[in-house]
Amino acid sequence: MRIMGLDLGDKTIGVAVSDPLGWTAQGVTTLRRGDLDGDLQQLAALVQQYEVEEFVLGLPKNMDGSLGPRAEMVQQFAALLRERLGRPVHLWDERLSTVAAQKHLLGADVSRRGRKKVVDKLAAVYILQGFLDRQARS
């Protein structure tokens, strides 16, 4: 069973998928956002390609744990994913996932242009791997 991890942004969606056993997350792509129907169609194609059965969507909580406008937007997107693609959607606290991805890329001496191309995909990997690790401990 594969799980897809998503890092939802205003302009892009970082995408990662698990291996078939659900142990590791691999970055797949960064989708350019358009209209909502187009975004869902792009995701539906990836769901079929990778035989995805569930989603993990990064929930951007504030540092104090509260939910702001971005988190509400993510919750609405999660509801649409559930409804339109017919798969369970788990929300995962993504605080600092993009920061961790940036630090990882800086540590690897990736150029600013290179970081911009992959940071959302890497953030999706961090989100999904955190979820998979928690599942393994349960």
Side-chain angles (χ1 to χ4, degrees):
M1 160 175 101
R2 286 187 188 248
I3 301 172
M4 181 177 283
L6 301 174
D7 180 41
L8 186 66
D10 291 328
K11 297 179 183 178
T12 61
I13 302 173
V15 182
V17 294
S18 70
D19 67 284
L21 297 175
W23 291 349
T24 62
Q26 295 88 34
V28 172
T29 190
T30 300
L31 302 175
R32 280 261 159 237
R33 296 210 52 197
D35 66 5
L36 196 52
D37 285 332
D39 295 346
L40 293 171
Q41 286 175 1
Q42 288 184 84
L43 289 170
L46 291 171
V47 163
Q48 261 194 320
Q49 179 182 348
Y50 289 97
E51 300 176 352
V52 170
E53 294 184 27
E54 297 180 32
F55 292 100
V56 176
L57 188 55
L59 182 65
K61 291 184 176 183
N62 295 321
M63 292 311 287
D64 66 1
S66 64
L67 300 178
R70 280 200 64 65
E72 291 173 15
M73 187 261 303
V74 166
Q75 289 173 322
Q76 291 171 357
F77 191 84
L80 281 172
L81 270 179
R82 247 183 243 110
E83 178 185 315
R84 300 248 188 112
L85 300 185
R87 286 165 176 74
V89 178
H90 309 277
L91 296 175
W92 182 256
D93 183 353
E94 73 161 21
R95 280 180 281 189
L96 303 180
S97 64
T98 301
V99 172
Q102 288 279 15
K103 284 184 180 181
H104 180 84
L105 293 169
L106 282 169
D109 203 25
V110 176
S111 70
R112 171 177 250 132
R113 176 183 273 168
R115 287 192 309 269
K116 191 173 183 179
K117 289 180 182 177
V118 298
V119 70
D120 297 318
K121 177 173 55 173
L122 188 55
V125 169
Y126 274 91
I127 290 164
L128 180 55
Q129 191 63 57
F131 178 83
L132 295 173
D133 291 347
R134 188 190 73 198
Q135 295 293 95
R137 287 191 301 267
S138 318

